[in-house]
């Protein structure tokens, strides 16, 4: 991780800062707990969706999550080093798993192919805990139904070196918030479980749902729900208002008063309609500010929303502050959880015609991190 930890009070004066709000993560976990009896796995892949894997994991575990989820098993080391002691599952290990390290870090490995399981069994020095991953409709990771019997045969042959402790799937359409869209995946997971039990394994931990399934369809909950986006305030089903868990603030580096008819930025795509004040913020697309923005994109300065004008540059954006001269050093809020004049991550997703996930995971390494 390249993040530099700087106290918010200090960094805010000097540089763009992305603050993680652990209290919001805790409230989001509580929201999920209110709708399920299943255990909660806090998914902290992609550095906790850009919020800091350790910070998000700590807040989530403090609020009752009892598992952690990552993609690469190597990501578990950082969590263990930070003293996080709950079970960890890793489900995407493209370059293979360092079996000795995984055993040392006590990482469960999800396996979705015969080849992967063979490799794992061959490399295992101590018994490795494995979750068999059935393809429940994604065609993206997970073992196809046709290969399931062979996967079970391989698992049986590897007994002693691997221990099958779980069966998982992933929902392709949970964001539709329609249980009917999940029914085929639920059935497929049950069939997968039955075959694993018949093969003599068990007891098994069953898991299928991520945030959207957890919030909208109890039939998908089984023993455990894997919640990632929801931790940081994103509900892909858009049915529940969760709490935004980060705030991006940037100081004004330059401000000026310009007359009507002044072109702004590369290409002069914006020309001021009247005399106005412009404030320059030192963040741009290299920091994750989307370059293509629809009308209405803006930031909060001094309690009001002000529009971004002209093209987004690599390192800078320009904001029209109207009659207000904004002194250099004034802190603008690019996004945050406050609402009102402060844009949310969801506002940014709308302005960039994307999903909130790409906004929060896209903040660049130059932005200082303050992780509570
Ligand atoms: C990313 C991921 C999750 C978490 O999904 P969210 O929608 O972010 O909650 C759960 N399971 C798997 C397999 C994933 O890849």
């Amino acid at each position: 991780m390249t993040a530099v930890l700087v106290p918010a009070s200090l960094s805010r004066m000097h540089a763009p800062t992305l603050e993680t709000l652990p209290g919001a993560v805790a409230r989001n976990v509580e929201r999920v707990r209110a709708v399920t009896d299943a255990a909660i796995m806090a998914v902290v892949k992609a550095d906790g969706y850009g919020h800091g894997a350790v910070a998000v994991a700590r807040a989530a575990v403090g609020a009752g999550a009892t598992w952690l989820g990552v993609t690469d098993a190597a990501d578990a080391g950082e969590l263990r080093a930070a003293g996080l002691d709950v079970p960890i599952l890793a489900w995407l290990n493209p370059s293979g798993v360092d079996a000795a390290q995984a055993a040392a870090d006590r990482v469960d490995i999800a396996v979705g192919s015969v080849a992967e399981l063979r490799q794992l069994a061959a490399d295992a020095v101590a018994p490795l805990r494995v979750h068999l991953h059935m393809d429940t409709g994604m065609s993206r990771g997970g073992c196809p139904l046709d290969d399931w019997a062979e996967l079970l045969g391989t698992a049986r042959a590897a007994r002693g070196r691997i221990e099958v402790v779980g069966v998982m799937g992933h929902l392709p359409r949970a964001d539709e918030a329609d249980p009917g869209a999940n029914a085929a995946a639920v059935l497929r997971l049950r069939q997968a479980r039955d075959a694993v039990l018949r093969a003599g394994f068990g007891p098994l931990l069953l898991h299928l749902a991520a945030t959207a399934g957890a919030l909208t369809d109890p039939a998908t909950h089984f023993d455990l729900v894997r919640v990632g986006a929801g931790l940081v305030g994103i509900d892909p089903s858009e049915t529940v208002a969760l709490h935004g868990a980060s705030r991006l603030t940037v100081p004004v580096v330059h401000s000026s008063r310009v007359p009507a008819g002044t072109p702004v930025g590369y290409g002069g795509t914006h020309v001021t309609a009247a005399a106005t004040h412009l404030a320059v913020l030192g963040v741009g697309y290299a920091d994750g500010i989307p370059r293509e923005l629809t009308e209405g994109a803006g930031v909060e300065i001094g309690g009001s929303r002000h529009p971004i004008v002209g093209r987004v540059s690599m390192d800078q954006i320009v904001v029209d502050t109207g009659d207000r001269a904004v002194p250099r050093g004034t802190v603008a809020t690019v996004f945050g959880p406050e609402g009102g004049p402060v844009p949310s991550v969801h506002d940014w997703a709308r302005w960039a015609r994307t999903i909130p996930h790409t906004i929060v995971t896209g903040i660049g390494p130059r932005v200082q991190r303050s992780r509570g």
Side-chain angles (χ1 to χ4, degrees):
M1 230 192 332
T2 52
V4 183
L5 288 166
V6 178
S9 54
L10 238 181
S11 61
R12 278 224 224 161
M13 299 305 293
H14 300 289
T17 301
L18 182 68
E19 218 181 311
T20 296
L21 309 171
V25 174
R27 286 203 294 283
N28 292 330
V29 170
E30 282 154 17
R31 187 71 181 74
V32 177
R33 285 180 72 190
V35 297
T36 190
D37 293 328
I40 297 174
M41 174 187 290
V43 176
V44 294
K45 63 190 183 189
D47 197 24
Y49 293 53
H51 291 62
V54 168
V56 172
R58 277 207 182 112
V61 169
T66 54
W67 279 76
L68 293 171
V70 294
T71 43
D72 195 316
D75 295 344
E78 185 197 11
L79 300 170
R80 291 290 183 233
L84 288 152
D85 206 35
V86 299
I88 300 178
L89 175 68
W91 56 78
L92 186 74
N93 296 287
S95 51
V97 174
D98 181 337
Q101 192 61 50
D105 286 337
R106 291 170 288 128
V107 187
D108 290 15
I109 307 292
V111 178
S113 78
V114 172
E116 225 182 309
L117 187 56
R118 283 211 178 102
Q119 183 70 56
L120 204 59
D123 294 348
V125 280
L128 269 179
R129 287 163 50 94
V130 164
H131 299 228
L132 299 178
H133 184 177
M134 168 62 91
D135 181 358
T136 53
M138 290 285 278
S139 307
R140 181 210 81 174
C143 179
L145 184 61
D146 286 350
D147 298 347
W148 196 247
E150 194 187 349
L151 189 70
L152 296 186
T154 307
R156 258 203 313 264
R159 265 201 158 132
R161 274 163 299 144
I162 63 143
E163 185 191 350
V164 175
V165 298
V167 176
M168 71 177 276
H170 194 45
L171 293 170
R173 291 170 50 190
D175 62 332
E176 295 171 28
D178 168 14
N182 302 327
V186 169
L187 184 65
R188 177 62 58 82
L189 191 74
R190 290 214 177 99
Q191 291 167 337
R193 172 203 52 198
D194 292 346
V196 176
L197 291 174
R198 276 199 305 274
F201 297 102
L204 298 171
L205 189 77
L206 276 185
H207 46 111
L208 178 63
T211 298
L215 291 175
T216 63
D217 186 0
T220 65
H221 291 184
F222 295 98
D223 301 317
L224 174 75
V225 294
R226 304 183 307 264
V227 178
L231 300 176
V232 299
I234 300 168
D235 168 17
S237 73
E238 297 182 354
T239 58
V240 176
L242 297 169
H243 301 275
S246 55
R247 183 186 292 114
L248 176 59
T249 51
V250 184
V252 170
V253 290
H254 179 71
S255 82
S256 59
R257 186 166 193 284
V258 297
T262 305
V264 179
Y266 286 118
T269 55
H270 176 83
V271 178
T272 56
T276 192
H277 290 87
L278 300 177
V280 178
L281 305 183
V283 282
Y285 57 77
D287 306 298
I289 303 295
R291 186 169 177 280
E292 299 298 333
L293 293 171
T294 59
E295 203 65 30
V299 302
E300 180 271 346
I301 303 177
S304 304
R305 177 82 58 86
H306 295 289
I308 294 167
V309 291
R311 284 200 185 131
V312 171
S313 300
M314 185 181 289
D315 315 303
Q316 299 168 54
I317 52 178
V318 181
V319 177
D320 187 330
T321 59
D323 346 333
R324 280 166 78 176
V326 177
R328 176 177 154 83
T330 304
V331 174
T333 305
V334 176
F335 59 73
E338 291 82 358
V342 175
S344 67
V345 166
H346 293 78
D347 290 327
W348 278 94
R350 206 176 59 251
W351 295 331
R353 299 186 200 283
T354 182
I355 54 174
H357 310 58
T358 70
I359 303 294
V360 291
T361 57
I363 303 303
R366 291 193 302 199
V367 174
Q368 292 185 128
R369 265 64 176 178
S370 162
R371 284 168 171 174

